[in-house]
């Protein structure tokens, strides 16, 4: 996950490959609750692992429910409609799919068995209405108090005497989650008799209610439905675990990749999406129809889709989006690529989601140059006449972050030059799709020249690696420690007994190095050599063998391959002069020889190597002289490099200086 302040997406061009979707959030949280309320244990497969499911799991554990991993699945041992814990304070983040159903279920259980529960979340959760659900629960005798503002969480559920009686009325035109919460909770009261729910107003987001009914059936409760206005829960309904249950991929998350296929995949190599398809029980699967109406070509199987570009530009749309409220946000960004204005109607529910999504989408689309008009329940988007680079605010709303990533394809819509897009607070995608951006980068391509590189060159022990790693971490970029490649070649040569002057054998060795990098360090032929590479004699030998042009040539391709989305920070001696001469920011890092010897001394001692500071100073000066004087790719600043002497600068200040230079070069 990108836990950076922002993530810059360079202009993107094409998409191909296969995406495996994470589990559906709506199904995951419903299944977790149903499993917890059931008799027996349920083994849940393919559950979504995200912020919203984590708050649900934590709450269920607090309530005394056993939730344990079993292999790749999660085993939930149900409480059988009883209370194992009678008092708890539950923090439910910003998860509406946890807050509403838990509020309803615990209000009933607190009344039936005696209990006291407080439910709250993040500040935005306390701005999301819940009054209609509370009113419905009060009709049957639940005792619910508002602990903050009337009509909003946090809530206290304590006491009361729930009784089956007249039909329970609930509004259906603000959020379908109120009805879903009642449908999930009321079977707990059905030992008293049949329960009827009557929906007031036109029910919105019906497909989500269909998911609820479908899952109730899987857990043994058959609800009778009369149109969309009357629902009957039979007397003596009882939740029974189905044993095993599989969560299908998230159809709302599929929308970004369906759109991606429509924008940037070719018929010869469509984008394949696995986890949802024609058999999906999720309403957002109908996003496929909307995408097709805009020109996407789609082929589908029971649980997969293949998508590629049909019409171009996309066809403008005028659509009632009540049936796909979440996925419709993706249409608003696809509209940037359409032949005219696209109007999305009947989306009033956007205003009470993670943020006021109509206002947020309008504000951010305008930043890119689009013309946008909005009303209480619609948005109309006219494609930009001139695209502008934009830093997209995401309002702690995962869907805004994900759908705006599609704006990075503006080059395909004729933006000249194509503009980069900055996504602020990218980690908000953790709500439903923690590795969304990694997944995106796995299936998109761009011109390597568009992938930004920051180079940091300089003499040994100047702090290049430390600085490069700090900058890469802040930007979410990949890291290339090119010295490690030369050091690994030196170590391998030492072990193979290849003399330092045998250029041909050294080059052959470098060309076939079984080298691998991961979070644990550098691996040579399956052995972690991270510490071995830091030995001084290995560095000195690396300096000698790196003077051979054939060795440098053998390692060039490997270094270039590090230039991957979303960007790269590369440190070494010739990063800015030879390997990445087009890098938009080049830094030449120096520090006095005495300072560097002192740092290296400390570094080696801390790793358990013995070292003498005077010897280190001598070696380091000899190494600098050799690296500077060699004929091929000598150590020297690129003509356009920024000089940084960090002798008296802390690591943090050095990182900040480079980030400041980087920001000055960015168009945001
Ligand atoms: N600004 C700084 N202030 C103090 N210590 C620093 C600073 N920058 C780096 N160091 C320390 O100096 C030591 C050497 O840093 P680092 O390994 O990053 O240098 P390098 O230039 O990459 O070395 P080499 O070229 O040998 O790979 C490390 O222990 C690091 O923590
Ligand atoms: N781009 C590079 C990186 C490194 N080298 C050589 C010269 C160095 O003395 C040696 C070890 O590098 P270090 O890990 O100390 O950065 O490798 C090079 O020639 N070009």
């Amino acid at each position: 996950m990108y836990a950076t302040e922002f993530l810059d997406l360079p202009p993107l061009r094409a998409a191909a490959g296969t995406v495996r979707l994470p589990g559906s959030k709506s199904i995951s949280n419903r299944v977790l609750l149903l499993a917890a309320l059931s008799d027996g244990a349920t083994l849940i497969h393919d559950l979504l692992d995200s912020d919203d499911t984590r708050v649900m799991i934590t709450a269920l554990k607090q309530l005394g429910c056993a939730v344990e991993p079993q292999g790749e699945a999660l085993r939930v041992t149900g409480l059988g409609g009883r209370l194992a814990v009678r008092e708890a304070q539950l923090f439910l983040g910003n998860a509406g799919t946890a807050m509403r159903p838990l509020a309803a279920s615990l209000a009933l259980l607190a009344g039936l068995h005696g209990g006291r529960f407080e439910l709250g979340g993040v500040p935005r959760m306390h701005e999301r209405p819940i009054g209609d659900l509370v009113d419905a629960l009060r009709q049957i005798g639940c005792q619910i108090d508002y602990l903050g503002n009337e009509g909003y969480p946090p809530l206290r559920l304590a006491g009361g005497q729930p009784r089956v009686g007249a039909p329970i009325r609930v509004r259906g035109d603000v959020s379908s989650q109120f009805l879903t919460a009642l449908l999930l909770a009321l079977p707990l009261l059905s030992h008293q008799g049949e329960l009827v729910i009557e929906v007031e107003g036109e029910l919105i987001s019906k497909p989500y209610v269909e998911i609820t009914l479908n899952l109730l059936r899987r857990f043994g409760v058959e609800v009778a439905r009369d149109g969309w206005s009357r629902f009957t829960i039979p007397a003596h309904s009882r939740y029974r675990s189905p044993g095993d249950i599989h969560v299908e991929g998230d159809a709302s998350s599929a929308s970004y990749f369906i759109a991606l296929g429509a924008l940037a995949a070719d018929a010869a190599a469509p984008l394949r999406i696995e986890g949802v398809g024609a058999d999906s029980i999720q309403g957002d699967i109908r996003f496929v129809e909307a995408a097709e109406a805009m020109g996407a070509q789609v082929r589908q199987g029971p649980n997969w889709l293949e998508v590629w570009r049909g019409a171009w530009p996309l066809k403008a749309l005028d659509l009632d989006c009540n049936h796909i409220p979440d996925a419709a946000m993706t249409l608003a960004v696809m509209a940037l690529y359409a032949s005219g204005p696209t109007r999305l109607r009947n989306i009033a529910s956007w205003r009470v989601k993670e943020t006021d999504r109509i206002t947020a989408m309008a504000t951010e689309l305008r930043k890119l140059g689009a013309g946008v008009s909005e009303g209480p329940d619609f948005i109309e988007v006219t494609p930009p006449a001139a695209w502008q680079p934009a830093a997209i605010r995401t309002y702690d709303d995962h869907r805004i972050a994900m759908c705006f990533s599609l704006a990075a394809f503006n080059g395909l819509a004729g933006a000249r030059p194509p503009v980069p897009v900055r996504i602020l607070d990218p980690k908000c995608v953790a709500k439903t799709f923690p590795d969304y951006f990694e997944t995106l980068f796995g299936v998109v391509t761009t011109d390597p020249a568009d992938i930004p590189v920051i180079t940091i060159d300089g003499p040994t022990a100047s702090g290049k690696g430390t600085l490069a790693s700090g900058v890469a971490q802040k930007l979410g970029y990949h890291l290339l420690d090119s010295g490690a490649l030369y050091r690994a070649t030196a170590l391998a040569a030492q072990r193979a007994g290849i003399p330092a002057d045998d250029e041909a054998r050294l080059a052959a060795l470098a060309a076939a190095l079984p080298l691998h990098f991961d979070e644990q360090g550098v691996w040579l032929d399956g052995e972690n050599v991270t510490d071995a590479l830091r030995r001084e004699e290995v560095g000195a030998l690396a300096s000698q063998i790196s003077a051979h042009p054939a060795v440098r040539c053998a390692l060039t391709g490997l270094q270039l391959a590090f230039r991957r989305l979303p960007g790269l920070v590369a440190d070494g001696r010739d990063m800015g002069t030879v390997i990445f001469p087009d890098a938009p920011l080049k830094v030449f890092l120096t520090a006095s020889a005495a300072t560097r010897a002192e740092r290296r001394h400390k570094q080696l001692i801390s790793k358990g190597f013995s070292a003498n500071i005077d010897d280190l100073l001598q070696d380091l000066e000899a190494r600098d002289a050799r690296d500077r004087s060699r004929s091929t790719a000598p150590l020297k600043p690129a003509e356009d490099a920024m000089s940084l002497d960090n002798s008296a600068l802390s690591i943090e200040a050095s990182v900040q200086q480079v980030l400041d230079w980087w920001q000055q070069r960015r168009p945001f």
Side-chain angles (χ1 to χ4, degrees):
M1 190 175 63
Y2 287 90
T4 48
E5 207 179 302
F6 56 81
L7 177 62
D8 287 347
L9 303 175
L12 302 175
R13 285 166 196 265
T18 300
V19 170
R20 178 88 210 157
L21 291 171
S24 152
K25 175 186 70 158
S26 305
I27 296 178
S28 292
N29 267 356
R30 283 168 173 80
V31 165
L32 280 168
L33 182 63
L34 287 167
L37 296 175
S38 288
D39 284 318
T42 306
L43 201 57
I44 309 175
H45 302 266
D46 301 325
L47 188 82
L48 171 65
D49 178 14
S50 75
D51 288 351
D52 279 14
T53 50
R54 251 172 262 140
V55 293
M56 179 63 114
I57 290 170
T58 304
L60 296 180
K61 285 182 177 169
Q62 272 182 271
L63 293 168
C65 190
V67 183
E68 297 136 350
Q70 185 171 317
E72 302 252 296
L74 198 72
R75 183 184 165 86
V76 178
T77 307
L79 297 172
R82 291 173 292 277
L83 278 178
V85 166
R86 289 183 195 275
E87 281 199 26
Q89 281 196 331
L90 307 181
F91 173 79
L92 301 173
N94 197 7
T97 55
M99 173 61 83
R100 280 82 181 248
L102 275 172
S105 306
L106 290 175
L108 280 174
L109 291 172
L112 288 171
H113 305 294
R116 183 188 171 89
F117 302 100
E118 288 185 9
L119 275 56
V122 298
R124 174 64 186 167
M125 176 59 95
H126 299 169
E127 294 169 3
R128 298 176 69 182
I130 198 163
D132 294 324
L133 175 61
V134 170
D135 290 348
L137 291 164
R138 283 176 174 167
Q139 289 167 42
I140 49 170
C142 291
Q143 172 74 41
I144 303 175
D145 297 313
Y146 294 111
L147 300 176
N149 292 332
E150 194 74 5
Y152 298 87
L155 305 175
R156 181 172 40 236
L157 324 167
Q161 281 196 324
R163 285 279 168 268
V164 169
I168 303 153
R169 291 177 312 284
V170 66
R171 273 183 68 178
D173 54 355
V174 175
S175 166
S176 66
Q177 284 185 12
F178 302 149
L179 174 60
T180 278
L182 290 174
L183 287 167
L184 292 171
L186 289 175
L188 298 171
L189 193 59
S190 65
H191 59 279
Q192 294 183 8
E194 176 184 279
L195 288 117
V196 175
I197 307 171
E198 285 178 357
V199 177
E200 292 177 338
E202 171 72 15
L203 178 64
I204 62 167
S205 310
K206 296 181 182 75
Y208 284 107
V209 176
E210 271 192 285
I211 295 180
T212 307
L213 297 177
N214 187 308
L215 293 174
L216 282 166
R217 202 170 303 126
R218 303 278 295 279
F219 280 83
V221 172
E222 192 72 48
V223 176
R225 169 166 82 76
D226 185 1
W228 290 103
S229 58
R230 192 178 163 90
F231 298 81
T232 305
I233 298 163
H236 305 295
S237 294
R238 194 168 175 86
Y239 285 131
R240 280 188 313 276
S241 166
D244 284 57
I245 190 159
H246 289 259
V247 176
E248 59 176 69
D250 194 299
S252 314
S253 299
S255 72
Y256 315 112
F257 295 99
I258 295 167
L260 182 60
L263 293 176
D266 191 74
L271 188 67
R272 186 174 167 92
I273 301 159
E274 292 182 350
V276 291
D279 289 353
S280 173
I281 62 167
Q282 298 167 75
D284 270 357
I285 195 65
R286 290 191 58 202
F287 177 84
V288 168
E289 295 161 24
E292 283 175 324
M294 292 191 86
Q297 296 289 311
V298 183
R299 198 163 38 223
Q300 46 187 311
N303 65 349
W304 57 267
L305 303 164
E306 285 181 352
V307 189
W308 64 99
R309 186 198 270 191
W312 193 257
L314 295 177
K315 296 180 210 163
L317 200 65
D318 181 345
L319 189 70
D320 180 330
C321 295
N322 189 263
H323 60 301
I324 48 168
D326 287 347
M329 294 168 74
T330 312
L331 295 175
V333 179
M334 289 174 80
L336 295 168
Y337 301 93
S339 52
T342 286
R343 195 176 178 88
L344 308 177
R345 293 180 280 105
N346 207 356
I347 53 168
S349 67
W350 282 22
R351 295 215 181 264
V352 292
K353 295 286 180 144
E354 279 76 348
T355 185
D356 175 344
R357 285 176 167 170
I358 295 186
T359 301
M361 292 296 288
T363 307
E364 304 310 311
L365 286 163
R366 283 187 193 114
K367 285 185 187 167
L368 289 160
V372 185
S373 58
E374 56 166 301
D377 66 347
F378 77 89
I379 189 167
E380 185 172 298
V381 184
T382 303
W387 285 79
Q388 289 150 23
I392 303 297
R393 205 182 137 198
T394 48
Y395 308 83
D396 200 18
D397 187 335
H398 54 140
R399 299 207 184 284
I400 295 188
M402 293 190 277
C403 67
F404 271 94
S405 65
L406 299 168
F409 286 89
N410 54 74
L412 303 179
R416 291 290 173 270
V419 297
V421 175
R422 171 168 288 183
I423 305 289
L424 299 173
D425 188 27
K427 70 176 180 314
C428 65
V429 300
K431 189 170 166 66
T432 49
F433 202 156
D435 57 356
Y436 171 75
F437 289 106
E438 291 83 345
T439 307
L440 178 74
F441 295 146
V443 290
V444 296
T445 52
T446 192
D447 184 340
D450 282 336
I451 300 177
V453 182
I454 299 174
T455 62
I456 300 177
D457 289 308
T460 191
S462 54
K464 303 179 300 295
T466 308
L467 177 59
S469 148
V471 172
Q473 217 173 10
K474 288 279 185 193
L475 298 174
Y477 282 5
H478 298 282
L479 185 63
L480 166 60
D481 168 9
S482 61
L485 308 187
Y486 290 96
R487 284 174 183 259
T489 309
L491 183 67
Q494 206 180 42
R495 289 176 172 180
I498 303 175
D501 59 357
D502 191 340
E503 181 167 358
R505 282 181 71 199
L506 288 168
L509 182 76
L513 267 190
L515 207 55
H516 167 71
F517 294 80
D518 67 16
E519 310 77 51
Q520 282 140 46
V522 189
W523 297 77
L524 182 62
D525 207 5
E527 178 194 344
N528 190 327
V529 293
T530 317
D531 284 342
L533 293 188
R534 297 317 306 171
R535 289 206 306 265
E536 273 309 282
E537 94 270 6
V538 175
L541 183 57
S543 170
Q544 287 177 52
I545 66 169
S546 65
H548 297 307
V551 172
R552 305 200 71 81
C553 183
L555 291 175
T556 300
L558 187 52
Q559 294 173 78
L560 291 175
F562 275 77
R563 192 171 195 168
R564 295 196 308 270
L565 286 167
L568 175 68
V569 184
D571 87 77
R573 303 294 185 285
D574 60 343
M575 296 295 97
T577 48
V578 177
I579 304 294
F580 303 109
D582 62 335
L585 174 62
K586 298 173 186 171
V587 177
F588 194 77
L589 185 67
T590 55
S592 70
T595 308
R596 291 189 282 129
E598 217 171 282
R599 289 178 184 167
R600 178 56 32 99
H601 184 254
K602 260 199 215 157
Q603 191 182 25
L604 289 170
I605 298 292
S606 75
K607 285 194 186 303
F609 296 121
S610 63
N612 172 294
I613 201 157
D614 295 328
D615 294 348
L616 281 174
L617 180 59
Q618 257 186 17
D619 290 353
L620 177 149
E621 284 176 332
R623 181 123 73 97
D624 287 354
R626 194 168 38 235
D627 292 347
R628 284 202 168 96
S629 62
R630 67 183 176 219
S631 55
T632 312
L635 165 65
K636 63 172 185 186
E639 275 174 15
D640 49 349
M642 306 293 287
S643 279
L644 180 61
D645 184 331
N646 72 357
S647 306
L649 269 188
S650 69
I651 294 172
E652 296 72 31
S654 311
V655 169
Q656 194 52 53
Q657 175 61 77
V658 174
L659 290 173
D660 289 347
W661 284 333
W662 184 238
Q663 293 285 29
Q664 286 160 19
R665 283 163 169 70
R666 299 278 82 193
F668 302 108

